[in-house]
Amino acid sequence: MINEQEQYKNLKYFIESYFNWSMDYADLGELIEEYKKRESSLHVEGLVQEIKEISEHRNWEEIKNFVYLHGRRNLSNKKIEQMIELFMAKLTGL
């Protein structure tokens, strides 16, 4: 079984490198766009796959804890769901 660290390594990288504690939640859309432009297509596609998996499983509490662990952000389940929807929109156009 894949542990959570390996399972969401692209999301972890995004949170730690782009959406870290010093960034405002309101900037998330711009940060996703920056990530999409700057990172390799391999990393972007990896993040897209992780976001699709999260969206399918709807494991908001697990992702909430993941975001807190790696980004020190205490977001509600609703905010987590909105964040995943924003990722989908920005990265896939859906």
Side-chain angles (χ1 to χ4, degrees):
M1 179 158 181
I2 299 173
N3 73 31
E4 192 174 279
Q5 301 303 321
E6 294 172 11
Q7 187 177 15
Y8 299 127
K9 65 182 180 187
N10 294 294
L11 181 59
K12 177 180 183 264
Y13 173 76
F14 178 85
I15 292 168
E16 291 177 346
S17 301
Y18 288 84
F19 191 46
N20 57 56
W21 63 270
S22 67
M23 301 305 294
D24 192 78
Y25 184 87
D27 297 326
L28 182 59
E30 291 174 31
L31 296 171
I32 295 169
E33 292 289 342
E34 183 178 336
Y35 176 88
K36 191 174 176 180
K37 288 178 195 168
R38 295 178 69 188
E39 300 299 329
S40 72
S41 59
L42 183 66
H43 287 108
V44 173
E45 184 56 34
L47 181 57
V48 167
Q49 291 306 313
E50 291 173 7
I51 295 302
K52 284 180 179 178
E53 181 179 321
I54 291 165
S55 185
E56 288 172 13
H57 292 166
R58 304 181 63 81
N59 50 348
W60 308 132
E61 192 67 31
E62 179 184 335
I63 301 307
K64 175 183 170 180
N65 294 333
F66 185 88
V67 170
Y68 182 78
L69 177 66
H70 298 291
R72 296 294 178 237
R73 292 181 177 276
N74 192 14
L75 302 177
S76 68
N77 286 359
K78 185 67 176 169
K79 277 277 198 206
I80 294 294
E81 188 174 355
Q82 291 170 346
M83 182 177 87
I84 297 304
E85 289 171 0
L86 184 58
F87 270 111
M88 288 293 282
K90 295 285 186 181
L91 294 176
T92 68
L94 299 177

